[in-house]
Amino acid sequence: SGKITVQDLANEMGKTVSEVIKELMMMGTMATINQEISFEIASLVATKFGFELTTADDSETEDEIEKLMEIEEDKEEDLKPRPPVVTVMGHVDHGKTSLLDAIRKTNVTKGEAGGITQHIGASEVKINGQKIVFLDTPGHEAFTSMRARGAQVTDIAILVVAADDGIMPQTVEAINHAKAAEVPLIVAINKIDKDGANPDRVKQELSEHGLLVEDWGGDVIAVPVSAKKNIGIDHLLEMVLLVAEMEELKANPDKRAVGTVIEAQLDKGRGPVATVLVQGGTLRVGDPIVAGVASGKVRAMINSKGKRVKVAGPSTAVEILGLSDVPQGGDQFVEVPSDKVARSIAEKRQQQQREEMLKSSQRLSLDDLFNQM
Ligand code: GTP
Ligand code: MG
């Protein structure tokens, strides 16, 4: 475990030599400026000053572990096309859920989905043999919090606007989120079956928010639909595929898996359950992963059709079992080389989280104190 001089120790901590010598004396150790003291003694002194002493060995492995969390850049030749990931946003009651239902139903009646979709916070549909992944959870609150946490999960946003109601406050919010995230937007003008429906007014209002639709000379795709009467849904999905094609979405399936936690909860029987979106690489049952402050080996994976799967490639949403804790929506997950590495990274993160919580609670109590004065 090595030795360190009094001078070096003082320098490391930004303290004066006499401060360190004084502390040593109080511990019953007489030392001069150039004297070497043992690691054990040095760490005791460091602790007194509020520092933690680590050996060179420790910091090296910690660096290595940190490096494991960095995702290496993909080479162009390793990239393969991947399906688009789509979220549906819009004002309250404008028909987001109904639209997703209609999309799934269209798919089921065509006999491609293989049954009723079990809810896992994501669903997959196949249109003309091409896959589209819909994230069910992100209403724009989830969208915002994910973005705030640096997670970008959506390739395309569908903005639902009710034709009888027009642009409302949350519609504007959704437009701004999509703009900020630089996600292409497709407008679904919904409820065109209703008596008071006025798609032209919606187009007018969209233009007032900088979205000029195609038939008005702009480049924003707007599709009139009725989620209730199942009108225009096919056309909407075709437009999604068209935009996806222009985006040239690609990922490298042949590297360790990386992606984002969409949602997670503690299940009574199954323990922590997380719905994750694989964005790069391929996740397999048995892979050790870190997800936020949680770690573990993937014990089982369930796809959007409720079926157990062993492998999940890019643009696949799966529910995973086997985590130690419940991660947060928006957390990144990364496959790591071993169980042990996974645990040690998660432990370090939990420690950091505790320290931050402690700090913020201390700040809070100081604030409380000032408020009372
Ligand atoms: P929140 O999740 O509460 O924000 O609402 P939402 O956007 O998911 O809307 P939802 O799908 O729950 O629909 C709201 C209401 O509008 C329901 O009563 C639907 O039946 C109705 N609705 C949705 N789409 C249509 C449509 O195309 N035509 C008509 N007539 N009604 C619709
Ligand atoms: Mg809804």
Side-chain angles (χ1 to χ4, degrees), residues 298-309:
V298 178
R299 198 172 69 224
M301 295 199 286
I302 296 125
N303 72 9
S304 60
K305 283 154 199 119
K307 283 202 186 114
R308 283 198 172 225
V309 288

Side-chain angles (χ1 to χ4, degrees), residues 19-274:
E19 278 177 295
V20 173
I21 291 182
K22 207 163 117 199
E23 199 57 55
L24 280 164
M25 274 167 67
M26 297 210 290
M27 290 164 43
T29 304
M30 296 300 190
T32 57
I33 180 161
N34 288 319
Q35 191 166 333
E36 287 190 320
I37 52 175
S38 73
F39 179 78
E40 287 71 30
I41 302 273
S43 17
L44 279 175
V45 176
T47 316
K48 293 266 160 135
F49 288 104
F51 291 91
E52 195 196 336
L53 211 63
T54 55
T55 64
D57 286 356
D58 276 352
S59 53
E60 225 175 81
T61 45
E62 280 196 11
D63 278 355
E64 274 167 22
I65 284 173
E66 274 315 315
K67 238 177 244 146
L68 286 172
M69 297 307 288
E70 284 167 25
I71 307 305
E72 45 292 297
E73 288 235 355
D74 292 313
K75 288 195 216 94
E76 187 60 39
E77 66 259 33
D78 294 331
L79 297 176
K80 306 226 167 77
R82 63 169 179 84
V85 179
V86 181
T87 57
V88 176
M89 296 194 287
H91 193 70
V92 174
D93 275 356
H94 278 198
K96 300 177 291 291
T97 304
S98 304
L99 184 65
L100 273 170
D101 285 348
I103 288 168
R104 277 188 294 249
K105 226 180 289 158
T106 305
N107 205 235
V108 172
T109 49
K110 285 191 175 153
E112 284 174 347
I116 310 289
T117 310
Q118 184 174 316
H119 184 81
I120 73 155
S123 46
E124 271 174 25
V125 297
K126 245 183 187 170
I127 305 298
N128 309 326
Q130 281 171 290
K131 202 170 96 169
I132 306 174
V133 180
F134 284 89
L135 296 184
D136 297 353
T137 26
H140 52 256
E141 262 161 54
F143 201 82
T144 319
S145 80
M146 280 205 189
R147 231 173 17 87
R149 317 190 67 222
Q152 175 106 6
V153 290
T154 314
D155 299 309
I156 297 167
I158 293 180
L159 178 70
V160 182
V161 187
D164 61 336
D165 208 17
I167 306 266
M168 298 301 279
Q170 283 176 286
T171 319
V172 178
E173 266 175 46
I175 293 172
N176 292 337
H177 289 320
K179 272 187 193 158
E182 293 179 37
V183 172
L185 198 84
I186 296 173
V187 184
I189 303 178
N190 191 30
K191 306 199 189 185
I192 53 160
D193 62 288
K194 278 185 103 171
D195 274 346
N198 189 349
D200 272 334
R201 205 190 74 203
V202 174
K203 291 176 188 176
Q204 167 65 38
E205 290 172 350
L206 284 170
S207 73
E208 286 160 18
H209 289 89
L211 297 176
L212 200 59
V213 299
E214 281 180 320
D215 42 344
W216 287 22
D219 58 4
V220 175
I221 299 172
V223 185
V225 299
S226 166
K228 198 172 188 172
K229 297 271 160 73
N230 210 6
I231 303 167
I233 307 299
D234 279 340
H235 185 50
L236 178 67
L237 294 175
E238 277 162 25
M239 291 302 114
V240 169
L241 286 176
L242 188 77
V243 172
E245 212 174 287
M246 293 191 294
E247 295 287 299
E248 294 186 37
L249 305 166
K250 284 176 181 169
N252 175 7
D254 303 311
K255 62 172 185 182
R256 65 203 173 101
V258 55
T260 303
V261 176
I262 305 303
E263 59 182 14
Q265 66 273 322
L266 191 62
D267 185 284
K268 258 194 212 150
R270 303 184 295 168
V273 178

